[in-house]
């Protein structure tokens, strides 16, 4: 099993920046990819970005592409989400999640069902 802890959320003005972190522990040796998802009030949880555990590949949703950047520090078992030029529409609880290659099969990286371990989430609030 894998345990995930998100941090770095908070209140920021529109146009500002914030950096989220996701620290993984446990059986991380089987990790294939780590994803960031977010859920705003009244909305379904949506995909934001994902990165292979080795950091060799990334995929980011169009709505944040060019503003958000995902990265991984294997030595620290930590995945980051750098968020720049934040908009009020980015307000949500942000979650990180991990998946093994075996668990991922039969699904896609943008689907919540592709990931089997989730963090508690961290609140990001962008004021206008």
């Amino acid at each position: 099993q894998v345990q995930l802890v998100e941090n770095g959320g908070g209140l920021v003005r529109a146009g500002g920046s914030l950096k989220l972190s996701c620290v993984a522990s446990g059986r991380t040796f089987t990790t294939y990819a780590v994803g960031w998802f977010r859920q705003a009030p009244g909305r379904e949880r949506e995909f934001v970005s994902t990165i292979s555990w080795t950091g060799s590949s990334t995929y980011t949703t169009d709505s944040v592409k060019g503003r958000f950047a995902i990265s991984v520090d294997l030595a620290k078992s930590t995945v980051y989400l750098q968020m720049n030029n934040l908009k009020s529409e980015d307000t949500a609880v942000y979650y990180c999640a991990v998946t093994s290659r075996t668990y991922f099969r039969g699904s896609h990286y943008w689907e919540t069902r592709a990931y089997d371990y989730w963090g508690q989430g961290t609140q990001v609030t962008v004021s206008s």
Side-chain angles (χ1 to χ4, degrees):
Q1 61 182 10
V2 179
Q3 296 80 45
L4 303 172
V5 179
E6 303 99 331
N7 206 352
L11 176 64
V12 64
R13 294 282 296 275
S17 299
L18 210 57
K19 188 174 185 178
L20 307 183
S21 63
C22 174
V23 181
S25 61
R27 299 182 61 175
T28 57
F29 64 91
T30 62
T31 299
Y32 170 61
V34 180
W36 283 100
F37 290 76
R38 65 186 183 185
Q39 187 166 20
R43 299 187 63 183
E44 295 294 314
R45 191 168 298 185
E46 67 172 343
F47 169 76
V48 177
S49 187
T50 190
I51 188 170
S52 60
W53 192 231
T54 62
S56 61
S57 60
T58 65
Y59 302 94
T60 303
T61 190
D62 288 342
S63 64
V64 304
K65 192 175 298 181
R67 299 189 297 117
F68 292 9
I70 192 170
S71 61
V72 62
D73 185 339
L74 274 180
K76 297 181 178 180
S77 295
T78 302
V79 173
Y80 303 93
L81 185 67
Q82 177 66 53
M83 306 184 294
N84 299 320
N85 191 25
L86 284 161
K87 305 175 181 180
S88 59
E89 301 85 74
D90 297 318
T91 295
V93 176
Y94 284 71
Y95 301 88
C96 65
V98 303
T99 187
S100 67
R101 184 67 186 89
T102 300
Y103 193 88
F104 176 79
R105 290 177 180 175
S107 56
H108 303 282
Y109 64 83
W110 62 85
E111 298 176 315
T112 58
R113 65 179 181 175
Y115 304 83
D116 58 340
Y117 294 104
W118 293 79
Q120 186 66 43
T122 185
Q123 177 70 49
V124 172
T125 302
V126 184
S127 62
S128 58

